Amino acid sequence: MLPWKRLLRPLAALLLTAAAVTVPASAAQAAGAADSGWNDYSCKPSAAHPRPVVLVHGTLGNSVDNWLGLAPYLQIRGYCVFSLDYGRLEGVPFFHGLGPVEKSALQLRDFVDRVLAATGAAETDVVGHSQGGMMPRWYLRFLGGADKVNALVGIAPSNHGTDLNGFTRLLPYFPGAEHLLSRNTPALADQIAGSDFLRRLNAGGDTVPGVRYTVIATRYDEVVTPWRSQYLSGPGVRNVLLQDLCPVDVSGHVAIGLMDRIAFHEVANALDPARATPTTCASAFG
């Protein structure tokens, strides 16, 4: 993922013009590298951590960049860790998570099946950032994922969409903008608050039985706004505000998923609640 100031420019451009994003071929090849330090299909879950962890990147992210912080953090703690690329658009390298969210959920389904087959585990835990924390809910609800996922941890997830601090309410005043958005970058359109996709996803409740849900949000989120829209309601849900854990943590939308070790500590707690320890400002040094 990119720092926020660099992220805003391509995001705004996509929202307004749905222009194709291009990056140097070398960067695209690096993002698609098979060996990212995790995705070891010979890894066998331990008795202490019997479920492999599947990491799901956010919009404009990829399976490597999004997890350069969290994946090693979990590996060191004994987890088998895997990540996928999803939602690729033809001609758009490196920046993924732009295709229709429903189709991305199918890709997640197939990836989870591959991980379970390789590891021999009966279930997995899923951790996602931004769209990656919301999209798995479609898999859980409509694609049989509830039988294969023990816990879903969303880091700044777009569970009820975003108004981008009111920006999306301006789209009707730009003739054709919404059509361009839906046609050329479907995932962005799907994540606008009030979209048809989100109405279908959230109809009948936010959760499905048998899955534990954790949402980790930051009040300084500048992408998924208002930040409280990230929270879920229903059985098995725990909503966490980063600033309740450490009041001086000022991480925004990108930093909370990319580098915030306080958030990472809370992810580890959510994955193994029986061994959870209090998350505080000091967790940044753990």
Side-chain angles (χ1 to χ4, degrees):
M1 295 292 286
L2 301 172
W4 167 243
K5 289 184 178 179
R6 294 177 61 196
L7 174 66
L8 180 59
R9 289 193 292 271
L11 179 58
L14 285 164
L15 284 168
L16 290 173
T17 67
V21 178
T22 59
V23 296
S26 59
Q29 292 167 358
D35 182 9
S36 56
W38 51 97
N39 281 343
D40 177 4
Y41 285 90
S42 67
C43 185
K44 299 300 179 184
S46 65
H49 301 302
R51 293 177 298 275
V53 178
V54 172
L55 303 178
V56 188
H57 65 73
T59 308
L60 296 172
N62 60 66
S63 63
V64 177
D65 285 10
N66 217 133
W67 306 118
L68 291 173
L70 182 58
Y73 184 95
L74 294 176
Q75 279 187 296
I76 290 170
R77 285 156 178 79
Y79 289 91
C80 293
V81 181
F82 301 85
S83 64
L84 77 157
D85 284 311
Y86 70 88
R88 298 184 184 189
L89 294 183
E90 184 177 354
V92 183
F94 188 67
F95 297 103
H96 305 317
L98 292 170
V101 178
E102 290 182 46
K103 290 186 177 180
S104 294
L106 290 168
Q107 296 170 10
L108 174 61
R109 178 197 63 186
D110 294 344
F111 188 81
V112 168
D113 286 348
R114 180 184 175 191
V115 168
L116 293 179
T119 61
E123 290 183 307
T124 186
D125 290 325
V126 175
V127 180
H129 179 219
S130 192
Q131 180 189 167
M134 173 274 293
M135 176 269 280
R137 294 178 49 228
W138 188 274
Y139 164 56
L140 297 178
R141 182 177 291 275
F142 298 113
L143 301 176
D147 293 332
K148 301 176 181 180
V149 175
N150 168 72
L152 171 61
V153 184
I155 305 171
S158 52
N159 281 320
H160 298 96
T162 178
D163 66 3
L164 280 176
N165 284 308
F167 178 81
T168 59
R169 291 195 291 270
L170 299 177
L171 287 175
Y173 297 97
F174 294 87
E178 291 182 274
H179 175 69
L180 282 172
L181 187 65
S182 298
R183 185 183 66 189
N184 294 336
T185 52
L188 295 179
D190 285 345
Q191 291 177 88
I192 292 175
S195 71
D196 176 70
F197 168 80
L198 287 169
R199 285 196 295 269
R200 289 183 288 129
L201 173 63
N202 294 315
D206 291 346
T207 64
V208 296
V211 179
R212 291 188 295 106
Y213 296 82
T214 301
V215 172
I216 305 171
T218 171
R219 68 169 69 254
Y220 300 111
D221 200 307
E222 63 282 81
V223 176
V224 180
T225 59
W227 63 264
R228 287 182 180 84
S229 69
Q230 301 170 25
Y231 283 175
L232 296 172
S233 60
V237 170
R238 181 169 182 260
N239 294 310
V240 180
L241 179 63
L242 190 62
Q243 285 71 37
D244 286 343
L245 306 175
C246 178
V248 298
D249 192 322
V250 296
S251 288
H253 184 79
V254 173
I256 190 177
L258 187 66
M259 64 185 69
D260 194 305
R261 291 176 69 87
I262 297 169
F264 295 173
H265 187 273
E266 195 61 19
V267 169
N269 281 346
L271 294 176
D272 191 1
R275 297 180 177 87
T277 58
T279 302
T280 67
C281 295
S283 301
F285 307 100

